[in-house]
Structure formats: C-alpha cells, structure tokens
Amino acid sequence: LDLEGIGFMKESRRFYPNKELAAHLLGYVGVDSTGLHGIEATYDSLIKGKPGTVLVQTDARRHAFSRLEKPPTTGASLELTIDEFLQHIAERELEAGVKEFRALSGSAMVMDPHTGEILALASYPTFNPNAFRQASATARRNRAVQDLYEPGSTFKFVTASAALEEQVIRPSDAIDVSAGLIRFGGRVINDDHKYEVLSFEDVIVKSSNVGAIKVGLKLGAERLGLYINRFGFGRPISPDFPGESPGIVWDPANLTDSALASVSMGYQVGVTPLQMATAISSIANGGELLEPRVVRAVVRAGTRVPVPRKVLRRTVSAGTAAELTRIMEAVVERGTATRAQVAGYTVAGKTGTSKKLVNGSYLGHSNYNASFIGFVPSRKPVYTIIVVIDSPRAKSYYGGAVAAPVWQRIADAALRHRGVPPTLNAPPPILVARRDAPREVQTAGPMAPPSIRNASGTADPGAG
C-alpha cells in the first residue's frame, strides 16, 4: 500500500528441518529466539551466546566524542547422544502401538546401559516444533520424563534385587503363594493365576503378586526403601531435564504392611520411564547407577569438551545383577514376556500391567498402564529399552501383549542398525570347499578328502 512509516524488517527464525522428530527432546524457541521447551530451554544461555553492546559518550549538543564497542559472542553447539535412526524407529513403533491398541498415549526410550547415554526418547502424541502454538499442551508434554505412573510388575526387579542382595531368599527357594490370594484386613490382593507353590525365580517369571508381597514383607519396609533409593527413585536423576518429575516414594517409616505389600508389587510408588530405564540399566551393566544424559559434548570456539560418564552409586553387587539377569531371561523365554523375544538374541526383561488411579480409586474403570522394560543382548547388553502404553482400549491391556511387541520391534531394528552379532543359536562360520584344487592321491592307504577351507581361504583344522 506504500504507506509512510510502514515497511519490512528481516528477522532470523529457528527452523527444525526434521519437524516432529525428537520434538519433545529438542523443544522450541519463541519469537525472540529464547528457548521455551526441551534442550532449547535447558541450555538457552549456552546456545544463544551474548549480544554485543555499543557505549557512546556525547556532549550536551549530542555530539559523540568516544565510542566503545563490545562484539557479540557466538553461542556454543551441543552434540547430542540421540541416534537419528533409532529415534525414528522408536517414534514410528510407539505411534503404531498406541494406534493399534487405541491407547491415550505412550512413551519409549532407548539407552546405552554402560554410559547412560539416551539414544532415543519418544512420546506420543507428538507435535511440530515449527508450529508449536498449534499443538495442545498434552501433545507437547515429554511423557518419558514428566509423566508419573505406578509401574506395577516391572518394579518387581527392585524387590527381587533387594531380596537377593540381602540374602533373605534364593532363586530356588519355594514360596507358598496361597492359590493367588492374600489378605490385609478387609483388603484382598489376587494373582491372575492360582498357583500353589512357586520358586522365587518363578514368582518373577510368572509375575506373582502374592509371591512378591511375601518376599517384600520378609525384607521389611526399611531395607526395601533403602534399595528403592539406591536405584534412584524419588528424586530427579538427570541435569538435562529440569522439568523432570522426581516421582513419589513413601517414607518407609510410614508404610503399613498393606502399603508395603503395594510397593513390593509396584503400586503406591510413582516413577517416570526415565527413572525405570536408568534403574534397570544398573542391572544390565553389573550394578552401577549411571546419570542419564542427552548431551555428549559441548563445542565452543572450535573446542569440543565431552561430557564425562558419571557413576552415581552402586545399586547391587555384580553377582546379584548376574543372577537377576538370568531370572529376567526366563521371563522372556517362558514367562509373561514371550512376545518380546528377538530372533537370534537373548533378552532379559519384565512386563508390567498396573491399574491406574482415577479420581482416587482403582475401581469403576478399566484404565491400565501396560509396560515392558528390558535389555538386549542380555549377557553383553547394547541397549536398554522401555515402552509404556497409557490406557490401551482394544484387544488387551496386559504389558506382555501390548508393550512387549512394540519393544521387540524397536529392539530388532536397533540390533540390526548397530550390526550386533547374534548371541542365541549363532550360525556357524561359513566353510568353502576349494573345488578347483587338485586332490592328492596317496600311494598307500585311503584317498585323502578334499581340502576344506574357511571363508578366508586358509585351511580349517576343525573341518570334518
């Protein structure tokens, strides 16, 4: 319109070329380029640098007679631990799982159990950070670090770890699970199946609530509470997520027998998927609780400064970790998590199916959290993976049927992506018969067999 005083001014704007990929992790910035969410907000002061300044001195007639300029400083760059391919796979399979079971939402995470590096962090529903104002607060929520849930049976690995470490029970010890029923006053807790006597190993494999409760009562509230704290529950665990929920852990002194029973089987305790993945990673790596992180290094002025691996504390001994790994392998081999099996690899993990607390009650609704957590390959772990599906409304609501298949698809793709060799029924080395080589005919005795050579062409002394 050629209006006087009206014109155009160019401004820089942050653009996210991958759109929804890792949106909850990266976050977004406002119109003034200030970080408002995710890594953008957490490291805002480090990323954007500092603006320049100009100091000018003038006389009364506003004539400048001195000028001092301070140029702007360039912000630092962050090198993240996220693997772009694994992030894509986690988001794709999580979305497929939420839609297949008509669930409300879900979260998934892939972690390196030996370093604490988070390789993928996915939440669904998601949003496009280029148009974050058009997304609801629900879609922008980073569920993997912000959402609390009662983990249910996945938490039994904490009860089992404490029991094994304190030597109050052995894997082969028999436990009377009372046909799947136990009472605390007027409260009755049931198992899905009515077993009579199970070994402690099978209490975990079959996911018996009654068995876990009896072990928890034998441990006592004080000792179980000690291990809950050792595994990092009840407090924020990563500096990369200032919005992380600390969780809910009761003071052991305030736990009645009924409340202790709940905690022993994964109720009356609030956790995040991040806390669960970090805790079980300590079993995978032999007993070290590592600080989870998404920033691998900071690059400033051409200098790269790596973020060191940080051990927070020891949770259990290496022997206890190895024993629990063997038990969790049985969970996948013959227990509640057979749908988490990955062809060619041993898997250790635990299913969880927990009824949600809605309006202060577990009754009168059918909302559950279905989850599976585990590591693979179980004896030399490369990945820890957790999948949590909130309120599945179709087909099933059990962790073994809902979350385990999603976990399996993520794990299978991740192992192929890394090129991890099979650990279960590994194929034998390829042998090649050199048919072009002439046979040697012995003058005495039987004819010698043709030379059997391996793929490198050298003779294989073990052939035949």
Side-chain angles (χ1 to χ4, degrees), residues 149-160 204 207 209 233 263-267 271-272 276 279-280 324 328 336 349-354 369-374 386-388 399-400 403:
Y149 72 106
E150 289 177 296
S153 294
T154 53
F155 199 75
K156 289 174 184 172
F157 85 85
V158 178
T159 305
I204 304 302
S207 203
N209 289 333
F233 298 106
V263 174
S264 300
M265 62 177 182
Y267 281 86
V271 304
T272 65
M276 287 295 289
I280 206 166
L324 191 58
M328 290 194 295
T336 58
K350 188 70 189 75
T351 56
T353 308
S354 58
N369 279 307
S371 61
F372 182 79
I373 188 168
I386 182 171
V387 173
V388 181

Side-chain angles (χ1 to χ4, degrees), residues 84-369:
E84 187 175 13
F85 176 80
L86 295 184
Q87 181 69 30
H88 166 68
I89 293 299
E91 291 185 9
R92 183 188 71 186
E93 298 304 335
L94 178 64
E95 179 180 0
V98 169
K99 289 182 176 179
E100 178 185 357
F101 293 95
R102 292 195 289 112
L104 294 180
S105 61
S107 59
M109 183 182 303
V110 183
M111 179 182 287
D112 184 331
H114 300 287
T115 65
E117 291 186 345
I118 297 172
L119 307 177
L121 186 73
S123 294
Y124 187 85
T126 187
F127 70 102
N128 183 347
N130 295 306
F132 67 90
R133 288 186 182 85
Q134 299 173 19
S136 66
T138 300
R140 297 197 302 265
R141 187 173 180 82
N142 188 348
R143 301 177 182 280
V145 301
Q146 292 180 287
D147 277 10
L148 285 182
Y149 72 106
E150 289 177 296
S153 294
T154 53
F155 199 75
K156 289 174 184 172
F157 85 85
V158 178
T159 305
S161 296
L164 292 171
E165 186 76 0
E166 294 295 316
Q167 299 181 359
V168 302
I169 201 163
R170 295 170 297 181
S172 59
D173 287 351
I175 299 174
D176 182 0
V177 295
S178 308
L181 185 147
I182 191 169
R183 294 180 183 273
F184 293 90
R187 182 189 181 196
V188 178
I189 300 176
N190 295 292
D191 281 338
D192 285 340
H193 302 282
K194 296 182 179 181
Y195 301 109
E196 294 293 339
V197 177
L198 293 173
S199 66
F200 176 56
E201 176 178 331
D202 279 351
V203 164
I204 304 302
V205 172
K206 306 294 185 182
S207 203
S208 167
N209 289 333
V210 175
I213 288 169
K214 289 192 172 183
V215 172
L217 293 173
K218 193 172 183 180
L219 265 170
E222 184 176 348
R223 283 194 289 187
L224 181 57
L226 172 65
Y227 283 87
I228 290 172
N229 288 325
R230 279 189 188 178
F231 278 104
F233 298 106
R235 63 177 68 89
I237 200 167
S238 174
D240 291 339
F241 304 103
E244 176 192 353
S245 174
I248 299 173
V249 172
W250 284 54
D251 184 341
N254 296 330
L255 291 180
T256 63
D257 283 350
S258 179
L260 177 57
S262 294
V263 174
S264 300
M265 62 177 182
Y267 281 86
Q268 210 161 315
V269 57
V271 304
T272 65
L274 175 64
Q275 289 174 335
M276 287 295 289
T278 302
I280 206 166
S281 287
S282 75
I283 301 299
N285 66 35
E288 290 183 331
L289 187 72
L290 301 176
E291 183 178 85
R293 54 193 171 93
V294 293
V295 177
R296 179 174 289 150
V298 177
V299 182
R300 192 204 302 265
T303 301
R304 181 181 182 274
V305 181
V307 177
R309 174 181 184 269
K310 185 176 180 180
V311 179
L312 299 177
R313 69 186 71 87
R314 176 160 285 278
T315 55
V316 292
S317 66
T320 295
E323 188 65 59
L324 191 58
T325 295
R326 186 188 64 77
I327 293 173
M328 290 194 295
E329 286 175 343
V331 173
V332 179
E333 291 170 4
R334 59 183 179 85
T336 58
T338 55
R339 296 187 66 179
Q341 294 175 2
V342 181
Y345 300 89
T346 54
V347 175
K350 188 70 189 75
T351 56
T353 308
S354 58
K355 196 160 190 179
K356 296 174 64 175
L357 189 65
V358 178
N359 297 324
S361 176
Y362 296 102
L363 305 176
H365 66 87
S366 57
N367 296 313
Y368 292 81
N369 279 307

